[in-house]
Amino acid sequence: LAAGSLRLGHPSTAFADLADAVSSSMGGTSGILLELMFRKIGVALSSSPSGGGIAAADMAEAFKAGVEAVSFYGGAQEGSRTMLDALFPASSALTGGDGSVSAAAVAARKGADGTAAMDHAEAGRSNYLSEDVLRGTPDPGAVAVAIVFETLAK
């Protein structure tokens, strides 16, 4: 990444480079968890052939493995009022239904918006905030995930 580019010869190296970029540029727990997610995706894709591209189903399964790594190492799950409230629905949309990024974006947004109705957080920075502050405000990490998927879907 020092050269300012990702190695795109194989998806596993591209995701390894993304993990390195996140690790060197993002602080806090979110940075660590996103690094772990990208590394897990890269490992899951490492057995895929290079040059011919990755099947959508294989990418969806790799993404699912990455989301599950975030849940495992972060100690949260869907409903904890974290980025996982957008990641898990996006993953489900990718592995089921039509598997499109557009469907994942809709699912991520719905999950993120749903966090505004949660009056407590089980993990993340929101865990330190009162019910009065949380109610009506969506989780910032979940919103960020929704924005990323909405941008990818364009």
Side-chain angles (χ1 to χ4, degrees), residues 86-122:
L87 285 170
F88 271 117
S91 177
S92 293
L94 291 170
T95 57
D98 71 3
S100 71
V101 176
S102 294
V106 169
R109 174 55 64 187
K110 183 177 178 184
D113 289 348
T115 63
M118 297 178 185
D119 60 7
H120 73 284
E122 296 173 9

